[in-house]
Amino acid sequence: AAGVIQSPRHLIKEKRETATLKCYPIPRHDTVYWYQQGPGQDPQFLISFYEKMQSDKGSIPDRFSAQQFSDYHSELNMSSLELGDSALYFCASSPGVSQPQHFGDGTRLSIL
Amino acid sequence: DQQVKQNSPSLSVQEGRISILNCDYTNSMFDYFLWYKKYPAEGPTFLISISSIKDKNEDGRFTVFLNKSAKHLSLHIVPSQPGDSAVYFCAASAQGGADGLTFGKGTHLIIQP
């Protein structure tokens, strides 16, 4: 079965640079969620989109923005990167309310 | 403030026995609960979920129990198998599961042969 696809799998950036992470949800899933997992931490919810509209917002810094496109894929844009942004970024998708979220394998972002 | 708590960082269980993982929550708005299994370098894998209108949900070897009055849920795995060794995360959501998930810090389950 098709899963959530995230790209790139690994990304290395320097401080103050920008980064764009991409997420392709499972077909027919209309809701996308972004999470950040720091070393030894649990995943922290950042933001979600339903039918291309922002549906919920968590602890997403103002330096980050995201959007969902007409084909339901989503992009997380990160600017003025800081050392503390080094983390695993997961995307998840869901087919609807009271349905489980299914996660991709994440993008590992390292800030030098 | 940790709204979802898994107080056991690790749990060791003999193969064939029952594994019981526990989770407590504090936010009364949570109405949808899930368990995920995670291996290193992979995303969380969905195991089982339960809505707050139920107190039990079963899927094969996995059963989740929800006690709303105690704000407690548990995951039972029986019988435990070596492939079950992983980190297990409890997660909760409000708005019928439409909101982003709040995770616990995970329990590392080790199945011993």
Side-chain angles (χ1 to χ4, degrees):
Chain A
V4 176
I5 305 297
Q6 291 187 246
S7 68
R9 288 298 311 275
H10 302 274
L11 189 58
I12 299 174
K13 290 286 185 178
E14 296 192 355
K15 286 195 303 182
R16 292 179 289 278
E17 287 191 320
T18 62
T20 297
L21 310 185
K22 296 185 179 182
C23 170
Y24 297 86
I26 293 171
R28 292 181 294 281
H29 283 200
D30 52 17
T31 308
V32 170
Y33 304 81
W34 286 96
Y35 295 84
Q36 177 191 58
Q37 185 178 22
Q41 302 294 316
D42 52 291
Q44 296 290 317
F45 170 65
L46 295 177
I47 195 167
S48 63
F49 291 86
Y50 166 69
E51 286 289 345
K52 292 152 281 184
M53 300 285 289
Q54 181 181 311
S55 60
D56 190 19
K57 192 172 181 180
S59 52
I60 185 169
D62 292 340
R63 299 178 290 108
F64 294 6
S65 65
Q67 57 182 326
Q68 186 180 32
F69 294 86
S70 57
D71 64 351
Y72 295 101
H73 94 273
S74 179
E75 295 183 2
L76 177 66
N77 299 293
M78 313 159 73
S79 63
S80 303
L81 289 168
E82 302 172 355
L83 292 177
D85 296 329
S86 294
L88 258 176
Y89 289 84
F90 290 109
C91 173
S93 72
S94 166
V97 172
S98 293
Q99 296 293 320
Q101 295 178 29
H102 296 271
F103 285 76
D105 282 336
T107 293
R108 181 171 293 282
L109 176 63
S110 299
I111 310 301
L112 303 180
Chain B
D1 177 35
Q2 192 75 16
Q3 297 185 61
V4 176
K5 300 176 184 178
Q6 295 178 255
N7 292 320
S8 299
S10 66
L11 176 67
S12 184
V13 175
Q14 203 164 10
E15 181 180 358
R17 298 287 183 101
I18 182 171
S19 296
I20 300 176
L21 295 93
N22 293 301
C23 177
D24 298 292
Y25 63 96
T26 57
N27 189 338
S28 300
M29 301 302 292
F30 289 149
D31 55 10
Y32 186 60
F33 305 89
L34 310 91
W35 284 94
Y36 286 87
K37 175 181 179 181
K38 190 178 183 304
Y39 295 114
E42 293 183 9
T45 299
F46 169 72
L47 283 175
I48 193 168
S49 62
I50 187 166
S51 166
S52 59
I53 61 173
K54 296 185 175 181
D55 55 18
K56 177 183 175 181
N57 189 26
E58 191 172 352
D59 184 1
R61 297 187 297 116
F62 303 94
T63 303
V64 56
F65 295 91
L66 175 62
N67 182 332
K68 287 186 291 294
S69 60
K71 292 190 175 67
H72 176 84
L73 63 155
S74 61
L75 174 68
H76 293 210
I77 306 173
V78 56
S80 300
Q81 299 174 353
D84 296 332
S85 295
V87 177
Y88 288 77
F89 286 98
C90 171
S93 175
Q95 300 290 337
D99 279 2
L101 298 175
T102 300
F103 283 85
K105 294 201 173 294
T107 296
H108 186 193
L109 177 65
I110 302 162
I111 306 301
Q112 296 189 335

